[in-house]
Amino acid sequence: LPNSVFDVVEKDLSAFGTRVVDDIWAYCVAARECEPHLQQFDAWGHRIDKIHTSDAWKVLGGVAAEEGLLALAYERRFGVSSRIYQAAKLYLFNPSSAIYTCPLAMSDGAARLIEVHGNNSLKTEVLPRLISRDPKSVWTSGQWMTERSGGSDVSTSETIAKETPEGYALYGTKWFTSSTTSQIAMTLVRLDEKAPLSLFFLETHDASGNLNQIEIHRLKDKLGTRAMPTAELTMKGTAAQMIGEPGRGVSQMATLFNVTRIYNAITSVGYMRRGLALAHEYAQQRTAFGKKLSEHPLHMRTLTQLQARWMASMQLVFNVAHLQGLVECEEATMIQKAALRLLTPIVKLFTAKEAVSVLSEVLECFGGAGYIEDTHLPVLLRDAQVLPIWEGTTNVLSLDALRAIQKEDAFVAWLTLAQEKRAHLKVSVLEPVLTQIDANLFWLQSSLKSASTGTLQVNARSWAMTLGRTAAGLLLAEQAQWEVKKETPLVAVRGLNTLLKSQYFNPGSFFDWEPSELELF
C-alpha cells in the first residue's frame, strides 16, 4: 500500500484484529455449536422448507456489513488499493467467521457480475443491497451451479428455463447450494435441452416471504463448514430473470468466479496464519523431554518451514488482489489483465493445497491435543479441506490455467511481468534463490514450447504448482530486497533461504508422465 493509504487503514486493521479474537470469535464458536437445521413442515402439516440458522451466524453477517467487508471494494475510496485493504480485513476475519466468508465471496462475486453484466434494474436495486453497510438491509447471494450430473462440469446441467409473460420460470434440481438462506442467487440453466447455458438471477423468496417455488430436500451433512447451511433443492417454476445474452452464461459467470477464487485464496492464508499463530504460542508453553518445544531445534525447524510457506502464499494472494483492483478501476494494462487471468486459478489451487498441508502439520505440532474438538483445532483442518474443492478442484483449475495459456497467451503476459520484477532484483544475498527462480522461469517457458498437448495435460498440476511457487518466490524476493534496503529485520530473506533449503522451488515432476503410462491403471 502507498504510505498515505497505509497510514489510514492500519488503525482500522489493528482494531479489527483485536475484534476477531474477542467478540467475533465468541460469535464464531456459538455459530459452530448451533448448526443450521431444516424444518420442512409447520405444526399444521404445511410444507414450509425453512432453514433455521443460529443468532450468532446472523450476527456475523451484521458484523461483516458494519465492517464494510464488501463495501470497501466497491466504495473504492482508495482506488486500486481498495481490494488490498479489503483482502486484509477478510484475511483477519475468516478464521473467526465460522466460514461466513463463503456467503461474502458469492455476494462479492454477484456484485461484480452485476456491475459488469447487469441491467439498470439490478444495478440500482440489487447491487446497493449486496454492498450495504447496514445489517438490516444488506443481502447475500447464493451460487447455484452444481447438479447431480456433475460438479465443475456445468456443461451437463439439466435445469431448464421456460419463458413466461412475466419473464422466466426455472425447473430443475441443484445438488449443492451454499448459503441457501441468502436473499438472491445466481444460477446457470438452459433455454432448452440442447441450448448452451445462460445466466439467471433469482430472488429466493417472493413478496409474501414464501419460497419462490423452491423445494428444499435436505441440508448437506458435511465434513466441515458446518455452521453454514448448504442445501439440495429443486426449482419448480422459480421466477427469474436472465442476465446478459442467451447462451453466454459460462463466460459471464467467469466474472463471479474470478472474485470467489480470490476469496478462496484469502481464506487459505487466513487459516494457515491462525494455525501457525497458535502453534508458535503453544511451543513457548508446552514442555516435553525436559524443555519447551521452542527449545527443540527440530520442532522449530518444522514451524520455520511452515511459516515460510505461508509467507510465500501471502505474497501471491495480495499480488492477485492488487491486479484485481487495477482491473476494477480500469487502470490495468492488457498485460496485467492477461496475467490476472492466469494467476487467478493458480493462486486458488496453490494456496488451497498449501492450507491443507500446513494445517495438517499444525495439528501434529499439538500432539494429541490437535485431535481434540474442544481445542478448536480440528475444525481448522476440516474447514480447510473444502478449499481445494470449492470453485474448481486442483485438476480442473490446472487445466483452466492451461486453457488461458493456449487461448489467451496469458503465460507470455505473466512472464513479461515476472522478467520485469527479476531485472530489478540485484541484492547479493538473494543470488542463490534467484538462480533457482531463473531456472524455474526457463523450465516453465521451455516446457510449454516442447511438450505435446497430451503431455501438458497429464502434467498440468505439476506445471501449475511450479508456476505458483515461482511467482510467490519472485514476490518474496522483491519483499526481501525491500527489507535489505530499508535495514529492517530480514524476515523475507530468511523465509526464502528456508524455502530454498527445503527444495520448495524445484519443478514438481519435470514432465515425467506421458498419457500412455495411464494405461497401467
Side-chain angles (χ1 to χ4, degrees):
L1 293 174
N3 288 337
S4 58
V5 176
F6 181 82
D7 290 343
V8 175
V9 306
E10 192 273 339
K11 292 180 181 178
D12 179 51
L13 293 175
S14 181
F16 192 57
T18 300
R19 281 201 73 184
V20 297
V21 293
D22 189 9
D23 64 312
I24 296 176
W25 170 248
Y27 298 137
C28 174
V29 173
R32 287 172 176 168
E33 291 176 347
C34 185
E35 295 180 4
H37 66 276
L38 172 62
Q39 179 188 357
Q40 290 190 304
F41 299 92
D42 67 12
W44 307 104
H46 302 122
R47 184 150 191 171
I48 57 173
D49 287 351
K50 183 175 182 179
I51 298 174
H52 297 271
T53 58
S54 68
D55 290 340
W57 176 256
K58 297 181 180 75
V59 171
L60 287 168
V63 168
E66 290 172 340
E67 292 285 349
L69 293 185
L70 256 68
L72 290 173
Y74 293 88
E75 294 167 348
R76 300 196 174 111
R77 176 186 173 191
F78 301 106
V80 299
S81 297
S82 299
R83 274 290 179 189
I84 297 175
Y85 179 20
Q86 181 205 35
K89 290 199 80 166
L90 289 167
Y91 156 77
L92 292 169
F93 181 59
N94 177 72
S96 292
S97 74
I99 209 70
Y100 201 89
T101 40
C102 177
L104 291 181
M106 294 183 292
S107 303
D108 198 337
R112 180 61 180 159
L113 192 153
I114 289 172
E115 189 175 53
V116 175
H117 300 292
N119 58 28
N120 287 335
S121 174
L122 291 174
K123 289 179 179 178
T124 57
E125 297 176 17
V126 177
L127 179 58
R129 301 291 293 268
L130 291 172
I131 63 176
S132 173
R133 287 177 178 262
D134 182 0
K136 295 180 180 179
S137 64
V138 70
W139 281 1
T140 57
S141 175
Q143 178 180 309
W144 298 1
M145 306 294 161
T146 307
E147 300 189 9
R148 293 190 186 101
S149 53
S152 298
D153 185 7
V154 295
S155 65
T156 59
S157 175
E158 298 173 349
T159 304
I160 298 294
K162 295 182 179 181
E163 198 162 4
T164 69
E166 293 78 26
Y168 288 90
L170 309 186
Y171 297 85
T173 297
K174 295 296 181 179
W175 188 79
F176 200 97
T177 63
S178 291
S179 189
T180 316
T181 51
S182 293
Q183 290 83 0
I184 68 169
M186 299 290 178
T187 187
L188 292 175
V189 303
R190 302 183 189 281
L191 296 180
D192 61 58
E193 292 180 357
K194 296 182 179 180
L197 292 164
S198 297
L199 175 62
F200 281 83
F201 159 87
L202 63 90
E203 295 188 31
T204 54
H205 293 76
D206 61 24
S208 300
N210 299 314
L211 282 172
N212 180 9
Q213 299 300 313
I214 297 168
E215 188 174 277
I216 301 175
H217 305 302
R218 58 174 173 164
L219 294 183
K220 296 296 191 180
D221 189 7
K222 300 170 292 181
L223 172 67
T225 67
R226 297 182 66 91
M228 179 183 66
T230 304
E232 181 179 341
L233 56 82
T234 295
M235 294 178 284
K236 295 186 171 183
T238 301
Q241 62 173 287
M242 188 187 299
I243 297 179
E245 302 174 19
R248 299 274 299 162
V250 174
S251 61
Q252 290 169 171
M253 188 62 86
T255 302
L256 183 152
F257 287 148
N258 289 341
V259 173
T260 55
R261 287 169 178 170
I262 294 172
Y263 266 74
N264 204 98
I266 295 168
T267 298
S268 295
V269 294
Y271 275 140
M272 279 192 268
R273 180 64 187 128
R274 176 62 61 85
L276 287 168
L278 295 170
H280 275 282
E281 177 67 17
Y282 187 68
Q284 309 298 321
Q285 302 190 35
R286 171 67 171 170
T287 298
F289 303 104
K291 52 186 177 181
K292 303 290 186 185
L293 290 180
S294 59
E295 297 171 342
H296 288 277
L298 181 57
H299 186 77
M300 295 312 295
R301 172 182 171 172
T302 300
L303 287 179
T304 297
Q305 290 177 315
L306 296 176
Q307 185 84 354
R309 290 165 63 186
W310 161 76
M311 288 169 59
S313 291
M314 278 284 286
Q315 291 286 340
L316 193 56
V317 167
F318 279 86
N319 177 240
V320 171
H322 172 62
L323 290 172
Q324 180 73 11
L326 287 171
V327 168
E328 292 179 352
C329 292
E330 299 182 352
E331 295 185 26
T333 65
M334 294 303 294
I335 288 177
Q336 289 170 327
K337 290 179 182 178
L340 177 62
R341 167 67 182 93
L342 176 60
L343 286 178
T344 299
I346 294 293
V347 72
K348 186 276 182 187
L349 70 89
F350 178 75
T351 58
K353 297 300 282 188
E354 284 287 87
V356 174
S357 175
V358 167
L359 288 167
S360 180
E361 290 278 4
V362 163
L363 263 61
E364 189 175 342
C365 288
F366 287 86
Y371 206 66
I372 304 302
E373 288 292 342
D374 57 9
T375 65
H376 300 287
L377 292 167
V379 69
L380 289 173
L381 182 57
R382 281 202 309 276
D383 283 358
Q385 186 60 64
V386 79
L387 298 175
I389 299 172
W390 272 348
E391 311 305 329
T393 62
T394 306
N395 285 354
V396 166
L397 292 183
S398 297
L399 294 173
D400 181 50
L402 195 57
R403 281 193 299 274
I405 293 165
Q406 295 170 333
K407 294 184 177 182
E408 302 172 48
D409 222 11
F411 177 74
V412 173
W414 174 80
L415 185 63
T416 300
L417 297 180
Q419 289 172 334
E420 289 176 1
K421 285 189 183 296
R422 174 64 185 89
H424 290 93
L425 298 174
K426 298 178 180 179
V427 176
S428 59
V429 71
L430 297 177
E431 286 181 5
V433 172
L434 294 177
T435 298
Q436 180 64 61
I437 289 176
D438 288 340
N440 280 22
L441 291 172
F442 176 78
W443 179 84
L444 288 165
Q445 191 174 13
S446 60
S447 60
L448 289 176
K449 290 181 178 179
S450 60
S452 66
T453 300
T455 301
L456 286 172
Q457 289 181 344
V458 78
N459 293 285
R461 180 191 284 227
S462 295
W463 193 93
M465 287 294 187
T466 300
L467 176 62
R469 288 192 292 269
T470 305
L474 266 172
L475 294 163
L476 202 53
E478 190 175 49
Q479 175 74 17
Q481 180 164 283
W482 180 87
E483 290 177 353
V484 171
K485 290 182 177 180
K486 293 289 185 179
E487 297 182 349
T488 63
L490 303 182
V491 176
V493 174
R494 294 197 297 273
L496 281 168
N497 288 335
T498 298
L499 295 173
L500 186 63
K501 288 178 181 179
S502 63
Q503 299 186 329
Y504 173 90
F505 295 113
N506 290 2
S509 69
F510 297 96
F511 278 32
D512 55 358
W513 276 78
E514 293 295 336
S516 58
E517 295 180 78
L518 303 180
E519 296 174 4
L520 293 171
F521 302 98

